[in-house]
Amino acid sequence: ISSGMAAYLQQLESIVKRLEKVADTIDAKPQLSAAAGAPPPAGGSGLAGSFGTAISPQLAAVNAAAQATGAAAIISGSEVFAKAVNATKDVLSLTATCKKPGDTQWQQVLKDVMAATKELNPDNRSEFFDHQKVVSEACGVCMFVVNPAPADHCQNQLESLDFHGIKVMRRGVQSEKDWVQAVKKCLSEMKSWCSENCKMGLTWNANGADPTTAAPGGGAGKSAPPKGKSGAPGKAPPKGAGPPKAAPAAAPAAAGMAAVFADITQGDVTSGLKKVTADMQTHKNTDLRAGATVAAKTGAAAPARGAAAAKARGPPKCCTERGNWVVENYDKPAEMLTLDEVNMKQLVYVSFCRNATIKVSGKIKSITLDTCEKVNVVVHDVVSSVELVNCERCQVQTTGVVPTFAIDKSNGVQVYLSEASKEAVFTTSKSSEMNVNIPVGDEMAETPIPEQFVSRFVNGKLQTTVSELYSG
């Protein structure tokens, strides 16, 4: 071999050795990141560290503002919000070392986040109900980790929070106003962080570990040897027996719609159908034709309908509790319900009523309709506001002065204003088919509340106007 060829061979061997070193390094990296129980990056680096740097000052501001109010409900609610956000930070720390959770694994990964939010239990009869709802809506922002558009999710939660935040600010307590602004600023900062760091959703390690074992509370680390009944390690298998055969893995339980379709397609799909006999067919049974409809089974409960049937109800009740009027669980009462002995310091709370008419005589502080259907309310004077939440086809008529109406998640609302209430202010959210009737001479003129809006950027600022559909 010539000296020139020997030099070439030596160079090739050197290149091959360097390539082998690079290949070994590349192969080693996924193994380190995929090791079961591998700790997250030290020092809080990565997404979790960036998230903590951006949000921790905002959380501190929220807690400081809550302490300034001196209200135990606000302070405890802010602590719950902080728990949920910190649990979200723990989830973000998994993205560097774990692969993306499957549909059935998210519940385990988000266990701490959901545990924090379950501590919230807003009481709609409490003075701080709207404050509790502000915290509840704020905690919902933590679900951006499962959303393909995290920034948009944060914006939606911020808008949902506004409905109850405005009510808190109307109380006129400056410390509570500062607290609401601090919560909103925290959500705005979270939205900005999502826009910069995970605009299209979180990025997970494709070669990472199982997220359920690395998640807080998961079974990370090496498994301990099996123990006997007394707690001592089990006996070793006899020599020559070989490794024990693994039990066949149970199929993972389907979740969500996958479980529905799996159940539908299992076995004979028509086995659960009931045979329709000749006596059940109207064209063969003259008795059924005479009745026009098939009679319902005796003892079978009628299907729940409407907003008021959303959950079980107790016996009808119309009384005062803790100084306020409570009207609930009325369905087609024989007579109109009249509240005569009221005063301007009392609240009237109407819930789970259907096909009822309620008249409130005198001056009251406020009245709320919650989860009602086809309920008509006649009020005289209201100091604060009339609120409708989760209502269907309800009507409100004023005979005196009502300054404010708040309508949330309701459909088919009709409001009839008196001459003294023509300057009333309406705040609406997620509602449709709303109409306001005002007196014009001897008649009532009906005007729809807009549901469609047009937004555009003008000189770099977003401007929103009512759709031309309502220009007439």
Side-chain angles (χ1 to χ4, degrees):
I1 302 175
S2 64
S3 59
M5 182 64 69
Y8 283 130
L9 289 175
Q10 188 175 3
Q11 289 181 358
L12 285 174
E13 290 177 357
S14 176
I15 292 172
V16 169
K17 288 180 180 178
R18 278 185 284 177
L19 288 174
E20 288 176 349
K21 288 182 180 179
V22 172
D24 292 340
T25 304
I26 293 174
D27 292 338
K29 286 183 178 178
Q31 293 173 1
L32 290 174
S33 63
S45 59
L47 280 183
S50 172
F51 182 79
T53 302
I55 304 303
S56 293
Q58 306 302 328
L59 281 181
V62 171
N63 289 329
Q67 293 290 341
T69 64
I74 299 177
I75 295 172
S76 61
S78 299
E79 291 174 352
V80 170
F81 175 56
K83 285 183 184 178
V85 174
N86 288 328
T88 304
K89 180 182 174 183
D90 293 338
V91 175
L92 293 176
S93 68
L94 300 177
T95 57
T97 59
C98 299
K99 56 187 175 183
K100 184 177 180 179
D103 292 341
T104 60
Q105 295 176 320
W106 276 114
Q107 186 174 3
Q108 174 66 22
V109 173
L110 298 173
K111 182 177 65 175
D112 290 347
V113 178
M114 293 187 290
T117 56
K118 282 182 181 178
E119 295 181 27
L120 296 171
N121 188 21
D123 182 3
N124 51 21
R125 300 176 190 175
S126 169
E127 178 186 359
F128 296 99
F129 171 69
D130 289 310
H131 304 71
Q132 295 167 345
K133 290 294 290 183
V134 166
V135 176
S136 178
E137 296 291 351
C139 287
V141 77
C142 297
M143 290 296 107
F144 77 84
V145 295
V146 302
N147 200 293
D152 292 343
H153 175 75
C154 294
Q155 180 62 31
N156 291 338
Q157 291 301 125
L158 192 57
E159 293 174 359
S160 298
L161 179 150
D162 264 340
F163 180 80
H164 296 282
I166 291 173
K167 292 183 181 180
V168 173
M169 299 178 75
R170 281 181 182 167
R171 288 162 56 94
V173 181
Q174 186 58 44
S175 59
E176 295 180 4
K177 290 182 180 180
D178 295 340
W179 174 73
V180 172
Q181 293 295 344
V183 175
K184 293 178 64 176
K185 187 176 179 182
C186 185
L187 265 63
S188 298
E189 186 64 30
M190 204 173 295
K191 174 189 171 184
S192 300
W193 182 88
C194 290
S195 298
E196 295 175 4
N197 295 274
C198 53
K199 190 173 183 180
M200 304 300 291
L202 295 179
T203 301
W204 297 76
N205 186 344
N207 298 318
D210 185 345
T212 58
T213 60
K222 295 182 179 179
S223 58
K227 295 184 177 181
K229 294 182 180 180
S230 62
K235 295 181 179 179
K239 293 182 179 181
K245 294 183 179 180
M257 292 305 297
V260 177
F261 287 115
D263 190 45
I264 290 175
T265 57
Q266 186 175 11
D268 185 3
V269 295
T270 62
S271 60
L273 299 180
K274 191 173 182 179
K275 176 68 175 177
V276 179
T277 57
D279 61 326
M280 299 180 186
Q281 302 173 8
T282 54
H283 66 286
K284 294 182 179 180
N285 190 335
T286 56
D287 293 336
L288 292 179
R289 286 203 299 272
T293 57
V294 179
K297 267 189 173 182
T298 57
R305 294 180 65 253
K311 64 179 182 180
R313 298 176 292 168
K317 179 168 61 175
C318 180
C319 61
T320 56
E321 292 185 359
R322 292 183 289 184
N324 297 316
W325 278 93
V326 176
V327 182
E328 58 185 19
N329 303 330
Y330 278 93
D331 191 352
K332 295 182 181 179
E335 299 178 353
M336 179 174 63
L337 304 175
T338 304
L339 309 183
D340 292 324
E341 300 177 1
V342 298
N343 59 65
M344 62 182 298
K345 294 183 179 181
Q346 290 181 315
L347 309 176
V348 177
Y349 181 73
V350 183
S351 64
F352 299 106
C353 292
R354 293 181 60 200
N355 301 291
T357 300
I358 303 169
K359 182 178 180 181
V360 183
S361 303
K363 193 172 187 177
I364 58 174
K365 184 176 181 181
S366 68
I367 180 170
T368 299
L369 275 69
D370 185 3
T371 319
C372 294
E373 181 182 2
K374 293 184 180 179
V375 172
N376 305 319
V377 177
V378 181
V379 296
H380 187 57
D381 289 335
V382 178
V383 176
S384 178
S385 64
V386 175
E387 301 179 15
L388 295 94
V389 183
N390 294 322
C391 291
E392 295 284 341
R393 291 173 287 174
C394 291
Q395 300 185 25
V396 179
Q397 179 182 350
T398 68
T399 58
V401 179
V402 178
T404 307
F405 288 85
I407 306 173
D408 181 31
K409 299 175 184 176
S410 300
N411 301 310
V413 176
Q414 292 280 348
V415 179
Y416 297 87
L417 299 178
S418 63
E419 190 69 33
S421 299
K422 290 175 68 173
E423 301 298 325
V425 176
F426 288 81
T427 301
T428 63
S429 173
K430 298 182 180 179
S431 301
S432 62
E433 302 174 40
M434 302 169 289
N435 295 292
V436 181
N437 298 266
I438 59 174
V440 178
D442 296 333
E443 299 181 352
M444 300 293 288
E446 183 179 81
T447 303
I449 295 178
E451 303 172 31
Q452 188 178 75
F453 303 90
V454 178
S455 299
R456 59 173 62 89
F457 280 96
V458 179
N459 297 326
K461 294 184 178 180
L462 186 67
Q463 293 186 359
T464 302
T465 57
V466 177
S467 171
E468 295 180 356
L469 293 174
Y470 299 91
S471 59

